[in-house]
Amino acid sequence: MKLIFFSFLFGLFSLYSCENKPQTVSPPMLETKTVEDNSTHSASRSIDLSLLEIPQGGSEGTIISHLGYALSYNHQNLTPNWVAYELTAEEANGQVPRSNCYAEDPDIKGRQATLDDYRGSGWDRGHLAPAADMKWSPQAMDESFYLSNMCPQNQTFNGGSWETTEKMGRRIAKQYGKVYIVCGPIYTDHQFGTIGANKVAVPDAFFKAFLIESNGTYAAIGFLMQNVPEHQDLKASSMSIDELEDIIHLDLFHNLDDAVENEIEAQVVKKYWGI
């Protein structure tokens, strides 16, 4: 009986802690540049579109910049089109505790997913920019729990195959000093339908791409994994960026010099990735 009582108190404390945290304020962001795809922008935030991790093209969305990552939010699927960020070795060694304070994104105007949509759905609130990559700042940690950074994920996939890509990102950030990461959901057959009253679309699969620079040479690799519980090996899920772009209809790492982009996106140089 005591155990049940204390568990109840802990649940109340956790809820109170999340709902009553002081709001953080982001530092000023760089001015918004001309958008060449179908994206629109939130009036409250802006982003430097020349950053190497920011993709081009794809579905129409609202581009938002938070302290640790940027995203394009799809108001139809109620999930991000993509999430992109740079992760440095120092950031990958951060020590800020995990927040667990899931919340709607205050910078998104219009339709977005809610906590009620996920509650009791059987699907995880799966991070795209993982909390473990945001341990360098309390604000970055808190903002990683915005639902705009989430997609419905199979629970086993979230804590298994998808997590292996997250760990790989931190490993190569430490190895090369930094890594540029872009990831997002893939919708093909909509085989898993939607969840919640707002009909949040459950992705069929997910993609992730890494870009690193080593001794003046760039290298990139892409991954595609299905949103299912079966184990998916990193090596078997890997592909060139050109192959991935043909599937996701995004232009990844387009801010590189064209000659460099064309060379590194056509092949995967295995020595860089340890898989």
Side-chain angles (χ1 to χ4, degrees), residues 236-268:
S237 302
S238 65
M239 61 185 65
S240 71
I241 299 300
D242 281 346
E243 291 172 314
L244 181 59
E245 288 177 336
D246 285 343
I247 298 169
I248 64 177
H249 307 297
L250 286 172
D251 187 359
L252 305 178
F253 311 128
H254 67 99
N255 286 314
L256 287 168
D257 178 87
D258 286 345
V260 174
E261 181 186 2
N262 292 337
E263 179 180 356
I264 68 168
E265 293 190 352
Q267 60 182 329
V268 175

Side-chain angles (χ1 to χ4, degrees), residues 1-255:
M1 191 68 180
K2 286 184 179 179
L3 180 60
I4 295 174
F5 176 72
F6 284 116
S7 297
F8 174 73
L9 286 181
F10 179 78
L12 285 179
F13 176 76
S14 299
L15 180 63
Y16 177 84
S17 299
C18 285
E19 292 182 347
N20 292 275
K21 269 193 171 184
Q23 295 298 308
T24 53
V25 179
S26 295
M29 303 300 293
L30 297 173
E31 292 183 0
T32 303
K33 297 194 174 184
T34 302
V35 185
E36 298 179 357
D37 60 11
N38 295 321
S39 300
T40 56
H41 285 264
S42 162
S44 60
R45 297 288 177 92
S46 56
I47 184 174
D48 181 358
L49 296 180
S50 70
L51 297 172
L52 288 181
E53 66 269 26
I54 303 300
Q56 186 179 57
S59 300
E60 182 177 348
T62 301
I63 296 180
I64 300 290
S65 178
H66 292 305
L67 182 61
Y69 64 95
L71 70 131
S72 169
Y73 194 73
N74 188 306
H75 293 276
Q76 179 176 346
N77 293 329
L78 301 186
T79 61
N81 293 313
W82 51 260
V83 171
Y85 60 104
E86 175 191 85
L87 181 66
T88 68
E90 182 180 4
E91 290 167 347
N93 286 310
Q95 298 298 315
V96 174
R98 183 180 171 93
S99 166
N100 284 325
C101 291
Y102 295 89
E104 294 176 32
D105 190 330
D107 284 345
I108 291 184
K109 312 305 177 187
R111 294 184 71 239
Q112 66 171 301
T114 69
L115 290 170
D116 283 341
D117 289 322
Y118 282 86
R119 191 170 289 119
S121 69
W123 294 88
D124 272 10
R125 295 164 293 197
H127 283 72
L128 293 190
D133 288 4
M134 303 294 151
K135 298 173 81 172
W136 48 274
S137 159
Q139 178 179 338
M141 173 61 71
D142 285 349
E143 291 179 344
S144 76
F145 281 88
Y146 287 157
L147 294 181
S148 57
N149 183 39
M150 308 282 165
C151 286
Q153 286 187 337
N154 175 275
Q155 184 178 33
T156 303
F157 171 73
N158 184 20
S161 300
W162 187 245
E163 188 177 18
T164 64
T165 69
E166 297 173 345
K167 290 179 177 178
M168 180 178 173
R170 291 188 287 277
R171 173 175 61 79
I172 60 179
K174 295 173 186 179
Q175 181 177 355
Y176 296 108
K178 70 173 66 172
V179 59
Y180 302 95
I181 302 172
V182 57
C183 56
I186 297 174
Y187 295 96
T188 51
D189 302 327
H190 290 268
Q191 60 181 314
F192 302 120
T194 63
I195 60 171
N198 291 308
K199 300 189 181 303
V200 181
V202 181
D204 296 279
F206 289 87
F207 75 89
K208 183 168 288 188
F210 297 128
L211 171 70
I212 56 97
E213 184 270 328
S214 177
N215 298 320
T217 299
Y218 285 97
I221 189 171
F223 295 91
L224 191 154
M225 291 182 169
Q226 302 299 315
N227 193 11
V228 294
E230 289 76 19
H231 173 71
Q232 295 163 81
D233 179 74
L234 279 173
K235 185 176 181 179
S237 302
S238 65
M239 61 185 65
S240 71
I241 299 300
D242 281 346
E243 291 172 314
L244 181 59
E245 288 177 336
D246 285 343
I247 298 169
I248 64 177
H249 307 297
L250 286 172
D251 187 359
L252 305 178
F253 311 128
H254 67 99
N255 286 314

